């Protein structure tokens, strides 16, 4: 498959910083941006990158090559498949609360699931379907809406 590079940054900057690895990352970015509409790929030159690359533990300061923000399970699967095919480093983030910083990486891809935070609770069975980016607060809100007292314990 041939990948078209839209701007110089995609090819030149990544290749300069990561050598041949940059070419693999450019392939991943292009495939996600073209094959998966609404799957946001944020790269270091974009204004929101600095805010989105940070995690809860301020002592962890890593710079991923990109932050991928999927909105569907199919987009997650595509991102994981492409990263595996290319041998790209992949860190998965929900809330970014991994104390040792496992939800981020240097030079790889952060798969940020925070946009996938939908929770559905069946009030009869009290079973929940929870997307990978949901936090405890999302469960609390859904539990309160489904039935008084429905919620998840945490500890």
């Amino acid at each position: 498959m041939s990948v078209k590079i839209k701007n110089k940054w995609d090819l030149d900057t990544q290749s300069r910083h990561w050598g041949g690895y940059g070419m693999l990352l450019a392939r991943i970015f292009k495939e996600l941006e073209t094959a998966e509409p609404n799957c946001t790929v944020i790269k270091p030159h974009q204004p929101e990158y600095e805010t989105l690359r940070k995690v809860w533990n301020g002592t962890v300061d890593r710079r991923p090559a990109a932050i991928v923000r999927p909105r569907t399970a199919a987009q997650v699967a595509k991102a994981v498949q492409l990263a595996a095919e290319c041998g790209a480093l992949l860190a998965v983030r929900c809330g970014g609360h991994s104390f040792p910083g496992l939800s981020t990486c240097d030079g790889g891809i952060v798969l940020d699931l925070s946009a996938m935070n939908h929770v559905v609770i069946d009030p009869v069975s009290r079973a929940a379907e929870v997307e990978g980016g949901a936090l405890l607060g999302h469960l609390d809100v859904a539990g309160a809406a489904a039935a008084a007292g429905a919620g998840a314990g945490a500890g």
Side-chain angles (χ1 to χ4, degrees):
M1 166 180 202
S2 79
V3 176
K4 293 182 182 177
I5 305 297
K6 283 192 237 176
N7 60 51
K8 251 179 109 92
W9 186 90
D10 288 328
L11 182 60
D12 293 348
T13 303
Q14 289 177 20
S15 294
R16 224 177 295 128
H17 290 300
W18 297 300
Y21 186 61
M23 295 298 291
L24 293 175
L25 291 172
R27 173 186 166 219
I28 292 170
F29 303 155
K30 291 302 158 198
E31 284 197 37
L32 283 172
E33 290 170 338
T34 56
E36 296 296 331
N38 301 320
C39 183
T40 308
V41 179
I42 301 185
K43 298 172 227 163
H45 71 286
Q46 294 174 281
E48 61 268 59
Y49 174 85
E50 281 302 314
T51 301
L52 292 174
R53 75 173 183 83
K54 294 179 182 173
V55 293
W56 166 81
N57 182 352
T59 64
V60 175
D61 185 23
R62 302 207 176 112
R63 296 188 171 277
I67 302 161
V68 176
R69 303 187 81 202
R71 290 181 175 27
T72 67
Q75 292 172 347
V76 172
K78 183 69 168 178
V80 171
Q81 174 194 358
L82 288 169
E85 285 175 6
C86 294
L89 180 61
L90 181 68
V92 180
R93 175 188 303 161
C94 173
H97 293 103
S98 167
F99 185 75
L102 300 177
S103 57
T104 189
C105 59
D106 276 321
I109 298 167
V110 169
L111 188 58
D112 180 353
L113 302 179
S114 63
M116 298 178 62
N117 57 21
H118 191 69
V119 176
V120 176
I121 299 179
D122 181 320
V124 176
S125 69
R126 297 172 71 101
E129 285 186 31
V130 183
E131 289 185 324
L135 302 176
L136 188 55
H138 297 108
L139 283 169
D140 290 342
V141 170

